Amino acid sequence: MNMTDLQRETSRDAVLSIRDLTVINRKSGRNIVERINVDIRPGETVCVVGESGSGKSVTSLAVMGLLPQHSLAIGGGEIWLAGENIAQASASRLRQLRACKMAMVFQEPMTALNPVMTIGAQLDEVLRIHSRLPLSKRREKVMGILEAVHLPDVPRIVASYPHQLSGGQRQRVVIAMALVLEPQLLIADEPTTALDVTTQKQILRLIDELRAKHNTAVLFITHDFGTVSEIADRVVVMNSGKVVETGNRAQILAEPRERYTRLLISSVPSLIPKPEEALSDEVVLQVSGLDKQYGKKTFFSRKEPTLAVSNVDLALRKGEVLGIVGESGSGKSTVARCIMRLIEPSGGQVLLNGENMAALRGEPLRQLRRRIQIVFQDPYRSLNPRQPVGESIIEGPLNFGTERAVAWRKAADLMRTVGLSEEVMNRYPHQFSGGQRQRICIARALAMEPSLLVADEAVSALDVSVQAEVLKLLREIRERTGIAILFITHDLRVAAQICDTIAVMQRGRVVEFGAAHQVLANPADSYTRKLIDAAPGRDWDFQNFRPYANQLVSS
């Protein structure tokens, strides 16, 4: 299909012009994405937004020529990159264009980096393959691009392997690798989803800075309208493989036409805390002086031990949701694992219903474990892929002596509680969506009738609409059962919607503790204010499709 005269006129100055793009499943012949039209001009950021399965990542892979060859193929349409129709380009030509004219930043940097090559060697490889620069010039360019993405101690970074860097540093390296040859188009596929809010803010600011400096066209894939409100010039909303709405940022955020767009925007959690509720005086969990250190100073090693958690005090009442928030490395997940006894605390007390878990061993600890259950971030890794989900749910009760028929009936009731049918209990984990798998993990945890549920980043990997559903489910379960919930998160917007009390952690210590409305509306610690200021979309009232009249928190 050739572009019409009108389309040519509209796309004349576009770096990327996608016209009627259709991607098909080779086996079924079904359209995965259908008749997609997108233009991106130099220096412009276009955000493609939608839930998992909407087709946004497939569209970006089609542009890069990275569709899985045996399963997906371009079934129609054109992809014009700087005047060249790359939908018809050969594999060798696409390899030439990657890095030179277009580049991509993926969600998980460790999948894009070679674990057995140093950072410097990987960046040099890009230059060696795609340019004729001599070694000295390549080294100079590697150092320059790493400085441009604001990495500290560049000589150390150059000599480091990926596992020796933090998540935010790895993502900066991937961005440097994508931009080292100054491509005209940068595709960023959910590059900040797994990062804490302060690192996320830094990465968004970095991409925007480099876009402005090099006049790069940016195609930014995301499911989060909070991010959209920060960086988008224009927005493309996708659902079920089709574009349902397009417009500039103000039009989409303030005056969305389509019901699906309104659903996505209104699902973004607000930083305004939920109303206060009366809580029980019955203490379920009491943590006193909790410490966790790694390593030990010995005669042969003079290295000082690393103190991951220091002198943490917490109290959690029946029916209360206590949020522990902080950046990656703040110690919040270490606290949760010490409470669960998944790792051994170095000191302090962990009282669950008055019993000190930190002092128990053997069978007494095993019996107490049934009263405390955990839901992890990645439900797929939490479930046995070779076992039907019904078997996963009843496994715990069976281990503690419950008859199989009784356990199965209870599991069926729990499936209905979490909004799923008992008819799907014989299916395997891969046959469910991410949100459904997380519901199954919650059902499995509740099967043990615990008095404390630990949710460790349980919604951070989910789409905002699915995230809203899971948060609603946790609230309903708390109200129905009176279970206490320890909620670990790096997202203060999520904490505001579910937590009664918030503990803010930094470098292994609790720097602020109090009622959610107090911590979020009037933070006492500068670190808490820093986290709030970094939250994407903090100045936008997504539920009412308008900006807030005033700043939520004064900087």
Side-chain angles (χ1 to χ4, degrees):
M1 177 189 298
N2 293 320
M3 288 194 291
T4 66
D5 292 339
L6 177 61
Q7 288 171 336
R8 287 183 187 279
E9 182 67 27
T10 302
S11 307
R12 183 176 295 171
D13 61 344
V15 171
L16 176 69
S17 184
I18 301 174
R19 286 285 164 259
D20 293 328
L21 175 66
T22 297
V23 176
I24 63 170
N25 184 307
R26 288 182 182 273
K27 295 180 180 179
S28 67
R30 184 172 64 88
N31 289 344
I32 304 301
V33 300
E34 188 173 348
R35 301 181 70 84
I36 302 299
N37 291 279
V38 177
D39 288 322
I40 311 177
R41 293 169 179 78
E44 184 180 37
T45 298
V46 173
C47 286
V48 180
V49 193
E51 298 173 286
S52 297
S54 63
K56 56 188 189 296
S57 291
V58 170
T59 301
S60 67
L61 292 174
V63 172
M64 290 293 295
L66 295 175
L67 290 173
Q69 294 183 358
H70 300 294
S71 56
L72 300 179
I74 294 176
E78 299 173 333
I79 303 171
W80 293 84
L81 178 67
E84 179 180 354
N85 184 9
I86 60 174
Q88 300 173 353
S90 65
S92 60
R93 177 57 180 158
L94 286 169
R95 279 195 297 271
Q96 292 173 353
L97 292 172
R98 293 186 200 118
C100 294
K101 286 195 174 183
M102 60 179 177
M104 191 166 185
V105 178
F106 294 94
Q107 177 177 346
E108 175 47 63
M110 280 301 282
T111 63
L113 295 171
N114 189 328
V116 298
M117 289 177 67
T118 64
I119 299 303
Q122 295 187 58
L123 279 162
D124 181 73
E125 183 180 50
V126 176
L127 294 169
R128 182 165 44 82
I129 292 173
H130 292 282
S131 76
R132 297 183 179 180
L133 293 173
L135 178 60
S136 61
K137 292 292 184 182
R138 296 202 305 267
R139 285 176 178 169
E140 184 180 321
K141 202 165 182 66
V142 167
M143 301 295 282
I145 192 65
L146 290 176
E147 288 174 358
V149 297
H150 307 306
L151 279 164
D153 193 2
V154 169
R156 180 186 67 82
I157 298 291
V158 166
S160 298
Y161 290 88
H163 73 273
Q164 295 175 304
L165 306 182
S166 69
Q169 289 175 332
R170 286 195 290 263
Q171 197 62 287
R172 288 171 184 269
V173 168
V174 172
I175 292 171
M177 192 176 297
L179 295 176
V180 69
L181 290 173
E182 299 183 15
Q184 295 171 274
L185 173 68
L186 175 67
I187 300 175
D189 189 359
E190 303 272 16
T192 61
T193 298
L195 303 177
D196 55 60
V197 287
T198 52
T199 307
Q200 182 182 62
K201 183 177 182 178
Q202 293 167 4
I203 295 298
L204 292 177
R205 183 181 295 164
L206 172 63
I207 291 174
D208 195 55
E209 175 187 316
L210 296 172
R211 172 202 59 78
K213 181 179 179 180
H214 300 289
N215 205 29
T216 308
V218 178
L219 178 63
F220 198 101
I221 311 293
T222 183
H223 64 256
D224 184 4
F225 268 97
T227 300
V228 169
S229 71
E230 300 283 337
I231 65 167
D233 295 309
R234 289 190 298 114
V235 184
V236 177
V237 183
M238 291 188 66
N239 183 26
S240 301
K242 297 179 181 179
V243 173
V244 298
E245 188 167 358
T246 62
N248 64 42
R249 175 174 53 184
Q251 289 171 339
I252 295 297
L253 290 178
E255 299 175 350
R257 300 187 308 272
E258 298 296 324
R259 181 175 175 273
Y260 177 73
T261 308
R262 298 178 72 86
L263 169 66
L264 285 184
I265 295 174
S266 62
S267 296
V268 178
S270 167
L271 261 175
I272 297 178
K274 67 184 185 64
E276 285 189 84
E277 299 178 17
L279 296 171
S280 167
D281 292 329
E282 181 183 342
V283 176
V284 173
L285 176 71
Q286 182 78 51
V287 178
S288 304
L290 182 66
D291 291 327
K292 177 59 184 178
Q293 68 178 29
Y294 293 98
K296 186 184 296 184
K297 194 171 182 179
T298 65
F299 178 80
F300 298 101
S301 173
R302 297 298 179 183
K303 187 177 181 181
E304 293 293 330
T306 300
L307 197 60
V309 170
S310 176
N311 198 31
V312 169
D313 296 330
L314 298 171
L316 179 57
R317 293 164 287 180
K318 183 177 180 180
E320 181 181 13
V321 180
L322 168 59
I324 303 182
V325 302
E327 298 171 286
S328 297
S330 63
K332 55 188 187 296
S333 290
T334 302
V335 167
R337 283 162 170 73
C338 285
I339 290 171
M340 291 287 302
R341 288 288 301 277
L342 297 177
I343 56 176
E344 291 294 325
S346 303
Q349 283 191 331
V350 179
L351 301 178
L352 182 65
N353 298 128
E355 294 188 64
N356 186 9
M357 282 193 69
L360 295 178
R361 298 288 185 276
E363 185 61 23
L365 175 61
R366 178 178 178 273
Q367 290 298 326
L368 194 62
R369 280 192 189 279
R370 68 188 304 171
R371 290 194 238 154
I372 178 169
Q373 295 294 308
I374 189 166
V375 179
F376 292 101
Q377 177 176 350
D378 186 350
Y380 196 72
R381 292 174 61 187
S382 301
L383 297 168
N384 188 335
R386 303 176 68 180
Q387 189 176 61
V389 297
E391 295 295 329
S392 291
I393 294 172
I394 69 173
E395 184 177 16
L398 291 181
N399 288 339
F400 281 90
T402 303
E403 293 184 5
R404 183 178 180 84
V406 174
W408 192 265
R409 284 196 301 272
K410 185 177 179 181
D413 290 339
L414 286 169
M415 288 292 276
R416 287 189 288 271
T417 297
V418 299
L420 296 172
S421 168
E422 64 178 288
E423 297 172 358
V424 302
M425 289 172 62
N426 288 312
R427 294 183 186 175
Y428 290 84
H430 73 272
Q431 295 175 292
F432 297 89
S433 68
Q436 289 173 328
R437 284 194 290 264
Q438 197 63 291
R439 289 169 179 268
I440 291 165
C441 288
I442 293 171
R444 183 179 64 175
L446 295 176
M448 300 301 295
E449 298 182 358
S451 53
L452 173 63
L453 178 67
V454 178
D456 189 1
E457 299 282 11
V459 298
S460 64
L462 303 178
D463 295 324
V464 286
S465 56
V466 179
Q467 185 182 82
E469 292 173 1
V470 174
L471 291 176
K472 181 182 177 183
L473 171 63
L474 288 173
R475 286 194 295 268
E476 290 173 351
I477 290 170
R478 187 271 302 266
E479 291 167 3
R480 187 181 305 135
T481 65
I483 192 172
I485 301 176
L486 184 65
F487 195 88
I488 313 296
T489 183
H490 64 256
D491 190 340
L492 283 176
R493 297 180 308 177
V494 170
Q497 297 309 300
I498 192 170
C499 297
D500 301 294
T501 312
I502 291 178
V504 182
M505 290 195 67
Q506 182 187 26
R507 297 174 185 170
R509 297 178 181 272
V510 175
V511 297
E512 187 159 357
F513 182 88
H517 69 92
Q518 178 65 34
V519 171
L520 295 175
N522 297 291
D525 192 87
S526 60
Y527 177 71
T528 308
R529 290 195 293 273
K530 176 186 172 185
L531 290 181
I532 294 171
D533 289 341
R538 63 180 295 277
D539 299 325
W540 196 271
D541 183 357
F542 294 101
Q543 280 68 42
N544 295 301
F545 307 102
R546 64 188 181 194
Y548 288 114
N550 300 301
Q551 294 279 342
L552 287 177
V553 178
S554 58
S555 299

